[in-house]
Amino acid sequence: MYQPPQFREDDLTVQHSLIRAHPLGLLISAGPDGPTANALPFHLVAEGSPKGVLQVHMSRANGQWKKIAAGAPVLVVFQGDNAYITPSWYATKRETGKVVPTWNYAIVQVRGTAKVIDDTGWLRTQIEALTGEHEGLRPTPWSVGDAPDAFVGAQLKGIIGVEIAITEIEGKWKVSQNRPKADIAEVIEGLGAATEVHANPGMADLVRRYGDDL
């Protein structure tokens, strides 16, 4: 992806944190008939690979897995916090008027070696890990074992797994680093204002964090 140097985020820990916080990735594969894209919830395994491994399952009725099995290259896109930035927040607007709207965002793109896994044990382990990750904070977490075994078995027959060993990972945090300090301060204030129609506290925190590094 297009990467101006000031927006690059190469810290693998930060990249992994975004994937875990926003696990619904867009799985894109390319084939002779053009690109295919599906939104799927991924489970990230950081151990056992220098850059990590992505695990996912999809419906057997979803033909994308057949293209992946045939060797189609894959790209997975994870979208983090994003927000519209109005030029009305900029001190520069009052000084020169030479400002335009923009969009702030944090995003991670992953490429890797993908393989299709048709194994009931692997699928159950993947689903248990994915479910546990998102149920863990609930007072009474639901687990796969709460459902009848026969029902779970039938569900597993209807899905297939994909595992992607990450070979390339890019992070882009476009969070106002290209603006003057005065503009950054007002963007933080605007994004954090409870009465602001474009308020986004999560993005305000990112702008503050990356602005402090400038």
Side-chain angles (χ1 to χ4, degrees):
M1 61 180 160
Y2 172 58
Q3 279 278 40
Q6 68 266 41
F7 300 146
R8 290 191 67 93
E9 177 50 82
D10 294 323
D11 188 319
L12 186 63
T13 300
V14 175
Q15 295 167 343
H16 279 187
S17 293
L18 183 142
I19 292 173
R20 289 195 173 96
H22 304 275
L24 187 68
L26 186 64
L27 174 62
I28 304 164
S29 58
D33 57 348
T36 300
N38 285 287
L40 300 165
F42 285 79
H43 174 64
L44 172 65
V45 180
E47 303 79 18
S49 175
K51 297 180 180 179
V53 174
L54 292 174
Q55 297 178 338
V56 70
H57 66 269
M58 66 178 72
S59 169
R60 285 184 182 272
N62 183 341
Q64 188 175 22
W65 69 266
K66 296 179 182 178
K67 298 177 181 179
I68 294 171
V74 298
L75 168 70
V76 189
V77 180
F78 296 95
Q79 176 67 65
D81 283 318
N82 69 96
Y84 173 79
I85 306 299
T86 172
S88 297
W89 288 337
Y90 293 153
T92 303
K93 176 182 180 293
R94 296 187 298 274
E95 296 166 1
T96 69
K98 297 179 180 180
V99 290
V100 293
T102 192
W103 210 281
N104 277 8
Y105 56 88
I107 196 169
V108 169
Q109 291 190 1
V110 170
R111 289 179 172 83
T113 304
K115 62 179 180 180
V116 172
I117 300 178
D118 190 0
D119 178 85
T120 300
W122 186 96
L123 286 165
R124 176 150 188 156
T125 298
Q126 193 271 339
I127 290 172
E128 287 176 343
L130 182 65
T131 303
E133 194 170 6
H134 299 288
E135 287 281 340
L137 296 178
R138 293 179 56 80
T140 309
W142 181 89
S143 69
V144 176
D146 291 343
D149 285 341
F151 173 78
V152 173
Q155 296 297 304
L156 291 174
K157 290 179 181 178
I159 62 175
I160 197 158
V162 175
E163 187 170 83
I164 303 168
I166 299 172
T167 56
E168 297 178 44
I169 183 167
E170 286 188 283
K172 185 176 182 179
W173 266 242
K174 180 184 175 295
V175 290
S176 300
Q177 303 99 312
N178 59 327
R179 301 303 310 175
K181 282 284 190 179
D183 288 357
I184 291 174
E186 296 208 22
V187 167
I188 294 169
E189 182 179 354
L191 287 168
T195 57
E196 173 57 57
V197 66
H198 294 118
N200 186 318
M203 179 54 68
D205 288 342
L206 286 180
V207 174
R208 182 180 297 107
R209 190 184 318 158
Y210 283 78
D212 286 345
D213 293 338
L214 297 178

